[in-house]
Amino acid sequence: MPGAFHSLLLPLQWKRKPKRRRSRSHSKEGNNRNKPKSHLAGAGAAGDPSFNLKASASSFPRDIGCLVQPLGNLLLSASPGANLRDAGLGALRPLPDDLLLDVLGLLPARALAALSAASKALYVVAAHDPLWRALVLGELGGAFDFAGSWRATYVAAASGGRPHLIPPRALRIRGFYSDYLFQSWLCANMEMRHEWLARDNIERRRGVSVEQFIAEVEEPNRPVLLEGCLDSWPALQKWSREYLLEISAGKEFAVGPVSMTLDRYFRYADNVQEERPLYLFDAKFAEKVPEMGRDYEVPVYFREDLFSVLGEERPDYRWVIIGPAGSGSSFHVDPNSTSAWNAIIKGAKKWVMFPPEVVPPGVHPSADGAEVTSPVSIMEWFMNFYGACKTWEKRPIECICRAGEVVFVPNGWWHLVINLEESIAITQNYVSRRNLLNVLDFLKRPNASELVSGTKDRVNLHDKFRGAIDAAHPGMINQLQFEAQQKAAARKKKASFWDTAVDAKSGGFKFSF
Amino acid sequence: MEAAKGAPVEENGKGAEGAAGSDEEMGEVASEKGKAVEEAKEVAGVKTITLQSADGVERCVSAVAAELSMVLSGTNACADTVIPLPNVATGKTLDTVIEYCIKHAAEPIIGYSDPSAAAGSSSVGTLVSEDLEKWDRKLVEGLSADDLHDLLMAANYLGINGLLDVVCQKAADMIKGKTTQQIRDTFNLTNDLTPADEAELRQLYAWAFDE
């Protein structure tokens, strides 16, 4: 399922604002009392006093985590007012952190390195790993050997490629306080809290007939978790890392803005610790590795696949998704108004879904729906916005989906997904008679050329699709439109009946529209 | 209607020229800008809004140009209401911001059929011509570090992504190609790293310092 990716991705799907436009909400957990040596403690957003940091978070003095503390600590420190940041940035001091990082993000590696040596404060800021990630991906594409951090990766590559996992020795620097940088480190090193995973209120179904599914789930456009419909999939038994490495040897898969082989990707996934890990999300996996395409089949409920009338010209419709714990997709609506199913072969995913008319907390789509501003990372969303779900317009549908299960994502629904462990899944988007009219409407929109995803020829997709449907299924569109009108009329009738029934003063039949 | 709109601008124009006495260059620049605003207004033929910098300088700008600011776009204020902008430090900053907005609002955007949508869009969708890029670079060329800082804060505050890009790029350009010591000199930094630190960094970044 095409998702809302990190801004580094090529704008094939949702167009994304430049990453600077996300503003971090200040974490409430700023009141740490201990120096961040082993385990940070502080008032959590939910009142819980501890962060659950990943075990590896503080064992190496290698990343910025040991270099930055939240501003709250400054108040309680031995010398309040002595923020290294203030002393060490000179003329750059008035710049807020996000702008400062924007400027640094424009620098080539040499300049960033030269800057790092200018002062302690600049060393800290320039060590912000996402800066180095951009440099690695920009210069090496997918041909990098991940060395534990992006900075270490770049340094190793630039120093003649010694790809071992020993991190560059970090300078021991104390006294740098910054909420923005600290939050970034925190999100990269936190694990999901128990209370974020506790709710599981999705409807679970097993063994329903296709007719039942259509009538009770697809028509009403409700999410559901289906059990037991992957039993026939060879993938469930066969897809181990070894098997996948073997059959895909040498083939490169789409990972964010780059392509890379599976062995490189696994080496990255095993050692990464960042806010938004790169996610392997490939729309051509079955073409690249036909065995993968043969190891699964579309569950019976989703076999109606109307975009297939377009043949080779159909938009991207199926993806293999592989990612480590912490990877996922932040809130988005699937493009083209399609519906989707997501089947887990290995691992576990946490889902949070809102109906089409309810924008999730912390999410701000632009007026035309072309852009979605969401929090920096999934972890940050949970930290700062999950709590608001309790009192939101409508409470979300949530679940944890595990191997062998399938989640149905109805068209138009907002959804957020995070992998709780390394996960391998297959997802497809589709158009059936239930959402054909929606899809046609979507493609007719004036800005469709920006919004329509997954095809090369965006502008003519509506006409092509419409023409192809009329050719392959003559009368289908008219039939559906007729049925839709009938339903709308029936609803109106119902409404006006209530208007008259409730209006006691009228004393008679009254039209009210 | 036109005459009424004309009046406030003329007053501001006079005000700007009046200031020329104290700083001739600034005054010339300011009155040129005042003229540019008037011309733009006439061309646009639509409503204007009045902005006020933190130090009290007022400027009129067409609503079309103001659309480039995510904060100001869609405002219903008329020319009589003065919108105070506390994060736009000086009249000079305001003038530069307005100059940018007028220039970019007037540029034909490639690939969009709806020009008003294009004017308000972020830099993601905007294809900027080479000439325009040159113009942008010139806009920030002579500015001092303080001016740049003011401009950066103003662009950030007003949500003018394109201008923000330009100023960030300028700041980055001030860093590129310099040695560490030169960077310290440019930005007034004290070297607080210990010799041991510096030695480690030299090793870590040997590939960068090889020159």
Side-chain angles (χ1 to χ4, degrees):
Chain A
M1 166 189 61
F5 296 106
H6 189 281
S7 62
L8 282 178
L9 278 199
L10 297 172
L12 192 54
Q13 286 124 354
W14 285 108
K15 209 177 280 189
R16 186 139 281 93
K17 284 188 177 152
K19 62 185 183 218
R20 81 154 71 84
R21 292 293 80 87
R22 299 174 301 209
S23 60
R24 287 193 188 279
S25 353
H26 284 297
S27 135
K28 289 173 196 143
E29 290 106 9
N31 308 324
N32 299 347
R33 269 156 230 279
N34 307 322
K35 295 249 170 191
K37 277 205 167 88
S38 51
H39 190 80
L40 284 169
D48 180 56
S50 60
F51 301 127
N52 15 338
L53 294 176
K54 294 180 185 161
S56 51
S58 53
S59 49
F60 276 122
R62 67 178 175 187
D63 68 323
I64 205 172
C66 290
L67 298 173
V68 183
Q69 296 176 65
L71 278 174
N73 277 29
L74 183 56
L75 296 171
L76 303 164
S77 79
S79 42
N83 188 352
L84 185 62
R85 188 196 191 276
D86 294 334
L89 289 182
L92 294 168
R93 180 183 150 212
L95 264 67
D97 285 323
D98 61 331
L99 286 184
L100 185 54
L101 286 173
D102 282 342
V103 174
L104 265 54
L106 295 169
L107 296 175
R110 275 213 150 81
L112 196 57
L115 194 73
S116 299
S119 74
K120 281 184 179 174
L122 279 171
Y123 170 81
V124 172
V125 180
H128 185 62
D129 222 34
L131 292 169
W132 294 95
R133 165 163 148 168
L135 291 171
V136 171
L137 296 180
E139 289 182 37
L140 300 175
F144 61 86
D145 288 310
F146 194 68
S149 75
W150 289 106
R151 191 175 64 152
T153 306
Y154 190 94
V155 166
S159 314
R162 281 164 295 145
H164 41 259
L165 290 174
I166 297 173
R169 287 154 292 184
L171 304 194
R172 225 157 301 156
I173 291 176
R174 288 267 171 270
F176 188 102
Y177 302 87
S178 157
D179 278 347
Y180 188 93
L181 292 173
F182 178 75
Q183 179 84 332
S184 173
W185 178 85
L186 187 62
C187 288
N189 286 282
M190 260 189 79
E191 294 203 314
M192 292 287 286
R193 279 214 175 113
H194 168 76
E195 55 262 31
W196 302 339
L197 303 175
R199 257 179 97 72
D200 193 317
N201 58 358
I202 199 172
E203 203 179 308
R204 285 168 185 265
R205 307 291 296 268
R206 175 187 279 271
V208 293
S209 69
V210 179
E211 292 73 33
Q212 256 183 305
F213 177 80
I214 291 175
E216 296 171 28
V217 177
E218 207 188 358
E219 265 285 3
N221 216 38
R222 306 177 39 73
V224 84
L225 189 149
L226 299 164
E227 297 168 344
C229 52
L230 305 183
D231 294 342
S232 63
W233 282 25
L236 281 177
Q237 273 70 50
K238 290 165 75 180
W239 283 24
S240 63
R241 269 200 182 188
E242 295 66 37
Y243 173 74
L244 290 173
L245 285 168
E246 200 188 303
I247 60 173
S248 74
K251 293 277 160 63
E252 292 196 343
F253 294 93
V255 176
V258 299
S259 291
M260 52 200 301
T261 58
L262 207 51
D263 64 307
R264 272 212 162 103
Y265 182 72
F266 283 142
R267 214 171 319 143
Y268 159 77
D270 286 340
N271 294 290
V272 72
Q273 209 150 283
E274 57 178 337
E275 225 183 316
R276 267 202 182 174
L278 291 175
Y279 208 0
L280 190 157
F281 222 108
D282 194 301
K284 301 289 177 210
F285 71 98
E287 288 85 333
K288 290 175 185 174
V289 186
E291 292 99 306
M292 288 176 81
R294 290 195 286 268
D295 281 342
Y296 85 101
E297 57 176 3
V298 179
V300 5
Y301 312 105
F302 312 115
R303 300 254 167 103
E304 193 173 302
D305 173 23
L306 293 176
F307 261 147
S308 58
V309 302
L310 289 170
E312 298 269 302
E313 301 195 11
R314 67 176 303 171
D316 291 338
Y317 68 103
R318 59 179 173 182
W319 292 261
V320 68
I321 321 177
I322 304 179
S327 60
S329 308
S330 51
F331 270 112
H332 64 283
V333 173
D334 279 357
N336 302 347
S337 202
T338 49
S339 300
W341 55 267
N342 184 309
I344 300 196
I345 293 165
K346 211 182 104 187
K349 294 177 190 283
K350 163 78 183 179
W351 289 77
V352 183
M353 295 198 258
F354 283 91
E357 67 277 7
V358 180
V359 179
V363 176
H364 309 282
S366 66
D368 63 358
E371 295 175 52
V372 177
T373 316
S374 25
V376 175
S377 63
I378 303 165
M379 196 59 75
E380 192 178 359
W381 185 85
F382 275 102
M383 281 176 66
N384 292 322
F385 294 105
Y386 180 77
C389 292
K390 286 201 196 99
T391 51
W392 207 242
E393 223 175 296
K394 278 214 180 116
R395 300 189 75 158
I397 302 284
E398 302 181 46
C399 70
I400 294 181
C401 183
R402 300 184 189 278
E405 301 177 338
V406 182
V407 169
F408 168 67
V409 185
N411 76 88
W413 276 67
W414 291 95
H415 49 289
L416 170 151
V417 190
I418 181 170
N419 290 320
L420 302 176
E421 50 191 84
E422 175 168 290
S423 300
I424 302 179
I426 290 192
T427 183
Q428 293 201 193
N429 281 56
Y430 70 98
V431 183
S432 70
R433 269 168 292 166
R434 267 68 58 196
N435 60 346
L436 177 59
L437 295 182
N438 284 348
V439 173
L440 286 168
D441 277 343
F442 181 94
L443 296 177
K444 250 193 296 194
R445 288 201 217 165
N447 54 352
S449 57
E450 290 166 50
L451 299 173
V452 172
S453 92
T455 58
K456 295 203 174 76
D457 180 6
R458 298 178 177 190
V459 182
N460 290 319
L461 187 58
H462 173 269
D463 296 340
K464 273 206 191 121
F465 186 44
R466 179 140 197 164
I469 290 278
D470 284 335
H473 305 278
M476 178 186 275
I477 294 178
N478 292 332
Q479 173 68 18
L480 291 170
Q481 281 168 336
F482 176 69
E483 285 170 17
Q485 278 164 10
Q486 291 212 299
K487 275 195 211 128
R491 269 197 297 270
K492 265 199 185 139
K493 259 194 184 154
K494 248 183 166 175
S496 45
F497 169 78
W498 272 115
D499 285 334
T500 63
V502 167
D503 188 357
K505 292 205 186 122
S506 72
F509 192 71
K510 192 172 82 175
F511 282 100
S512 49
F513 289 108
Chain B
M1 194 78 127
E2 282 294 299
K5 277 184 186 159
V9 175
E10 266 175 80
E11 274 168 14
N12 285 341
K14 278 194 200 138
E17 283 173 47
S22 45
D23 183 336
E24 283 209 33
E25 224 185 299
M26 234 213 37
E28 270 173 42
V29 168
S31 64
E32 266 172 44
K33 281 172 178 153
K35 279 189 211 142
V37 170
E38 278 205 62
E39 281 166 28
K41 229 178 36 77
E42 279 173 32
V43 167
V46 294
K47 65 172 186 145
T48 63
I49 57 177
T50 312
L51 307 173
Q52 185 188 57
S53 66
D55 61 353
V57 174
E58 288 184 12
R59 291 282 181 266
C60 238
V61 62
S62 78
V64 171
E67 297 258 312
L68 265 79
S69 154
M70 293 199 291
V71 164
L72 294 174
S73 77
T75 179
N76 284 326
C78 57
D80 301 336
T81 343
V82 176
I83 301 176
L85 304 173
N87 281 26
V88 179
T90 63
K92 184 171 178 190
T93 314
L94 186 56
D95 283 335
T96 313
V97 168
I98 289 176
E99 203 183 334
Y100 176 89
C101 290
I102 291 174
K103 176 75 176 177
H104 279 251
E107 280 292 314
I109 309 291
I110 311 156
Y112 283 71
S113 51
D114 181 8
S116 61
S121 69
S122 72
S123 55
V124 173
T126 309
L127 289 174
V128 178
S129 70
E130 257 190 61
D131 286 335
L132 194 55
E133 274 181 23
K134 267 206 205 121
W135 186 93
D136 286 342
R137 272 197 294 274
K138 261 204 93 202
L139 181 72
V140 292
E141 205 155 273
L143 299 181
S144 69
D146 279 340
D147 291 336
L148 276 178
H149 164 257
D150 289 345
L151 193 56
L152 191 64
M153 301 311 258
N156 190 39
Y157 171 70
L158 291 170
I160 307 174
N161 290 354
L163 182 55
L164 204 48
D165 288 341
V166 173
V167 186
C168 282
Q169 187 59 58
K170 171 76 178 150
D173 289 342
M174 286 167 71
I175 300 171
K176 277 197 256 190
K178 291 201 165 82
T179 65
T180 304
Q181 188 52 48
Q182 288 169 335
I183 292 174
R184 289 197 195 112
D185 295 334
T186 310
F187 294 102
N188 215 6
L189 300 160
T190 345
N191 181 8
D192 52 358
L193 293 158
T194 68
D197 290 340
E198 287 198 79
E200 279 218 30
L201 283 180
R202 195 143 300 130
Q203 222 192 2
L204 181 66
Y205 293 133
W207 46 271
F209 297 142
D210 263 339
E211 206 105 295

